[in-house]
Amino acid sequence: MESMDEIYRRHSKMIYYVLLSKVNNPDLAEELTQETFYQALKSFHTFAGRSSVSTWLCGISNHVYQTWCRKQKYSMDIEQAEYEIMEEPLEKAVFLEWESKEILRHLHSLKDPMREVMYLRLIGNLSFQDIGEIMEKSENWARVNFYRGKEKIVEEVRKHERKNTL
């Protein structure tokens, strides 16, 4: 088992970006990241290894964020969906050709929970199953939100390309 120092070094950046995608405030995201690792340290003895460390930490960060939201009297409305995801070659090409800065700009404009799913998948490199577990939803729900996020970003690219060709 890794030490908490090693776990922090390996996973703090991902947790920070997950939280940043939720709060859109770098200082607050840093504060919530620190709280996540504080809570992880307090409950380190309870980690049974039934999930990956990153999934465990994302679950803790999600609880830290929800606690912060309750304290702020911030309500979240999460859309339910049950659709199949289908990847299109155009979408893959768009994501491969874009510079990461442009992708992040478009990702940042998405609304939660879609933005969080996109960050967890693209930056956190988590599986749809892990994303579903973290967000307490189904794997299919995570796939649908990721697919819809890609659709919105592809639509933005098409708009941008049309403006540049006129």
Side-chain angles (χ1 to χ4, degrees), residues 81-87 140-141 143-144 147-148:
E82 295 294 331
Y83 296 102
E84 294 285 324
I85 183 171
M86 294 170 32
E87 293 186 9
N140 197 41
W141 177 90
R143 288 179 181 277
V144 168
Y147 177 76
R148 288 181 180 171

Side-chain angles (χ1 to χ4, degrees), residues 86-139:
M86 294 170 32
E87 293 186 9
E88 297 177 18
L90 174 61
E91 293 168 354
K92 286 183 181 179
V94 166
F95 278 88
L96 290 174
E97 289 176 17
W98 277 3
E99 292 184 29
S100 61
K101 192 183 245 184
E102 188 172 347
I103 291 173
L104 290 174
R105 185 173 59 80
H106 287 288
L107 281 174
H108 188 69
S109 69
L110 296 174
K111 294 188 187 305
D112 276 335
M114 189 178 295
R115 177 177 53 211
E116 183 178 0
V117 170
M118 298 292 288
Y119 274 114
L120 289 171
R121 180 72 175 166
L122 297 173
I123 295 174
N125 203 26
L126 296 177
S127 70
F128 290 116
Q129 181 178 355
D130 287 343
I131 294 168
E133 287 176 21
I134 290 164
M135 299 191 71
E136 299 174 351
K137 302 288 182 184
S138 69
E139 177 180 345

Side-chain angles (χ1 to χ4, degrees), residues 6-125:
E6 182 61 28
I7 290 171
Y8 181 83
R9 279 192 288 281
R10 290 185 61 219
H11 301 284
S12 62
K13 193 172 190 176
M14 178 200 54
I15 296 298
Y16 169 78
Y17 283 116
V18 166
L19 290 165
L20 181 62
S21 75
K22 294 178 181 187
V23 298
N24 296 323
N25 178 325
D27 293 332
L28 179 57
E30 180 62 34
E31 182 180 325
L32 294 176
T33 299
Q34 295 306 317
E35 180 64 21
T36 296
F37 281 93
Y38 172 71
Q39 294 299 326
L41 183 60
K42 280 179 37 179
S43 62
F44 190 65
H45 66 282
T46 65
F47 179 65
R50 288 188 297 268
S51 65
S52 67
V53 173
S54 62
T55 300
W56 177 65
L57 289 170
C58 284
I60 293 171
S61 74
N62 193 36
H63 288 292
V64 166
Y65 172 70
Q66 289 174 359
T67 300
W68 176 82
C69 287
R70 280 191 296 277
K71 287 180 181 176
Q72 302 299 313
K73 297 184 181 177
Y74 181 83
S75 65
M76 296 182 300
D77 182 26
I78 299 177
E79 177 187 341
Q80 296 290 330
E82 295 294 331
Y83 296 102
E84 294 285 324
I85 183 171
M86 294 170 32
E87 293 186 9
E88 297 177 18
L90 174 61
E91 293 168 354
K92 286 183 181 179
V94 166
F95 278 88
L96 290 174
E97 289 176 17
W98 277 3
E99 292 184 29
S100 61
K101 192 183 245 184
E102 188 172 347
I103 291 173
L104 290 174
R105 185 173 59 80
H106 287 288
L107 281 174
H108 188 69
S109 69
L110 296 174
K111 294 188 187 305
D112 276 335
M114 189 178 295
R115 177 177 53 211
E116 183 178 0
V117 170
M118 298 292 288
Y119 274 114
L120 289 171
R121 180 72 175 166
L122 297 173
I123 295 174
N125 203 26

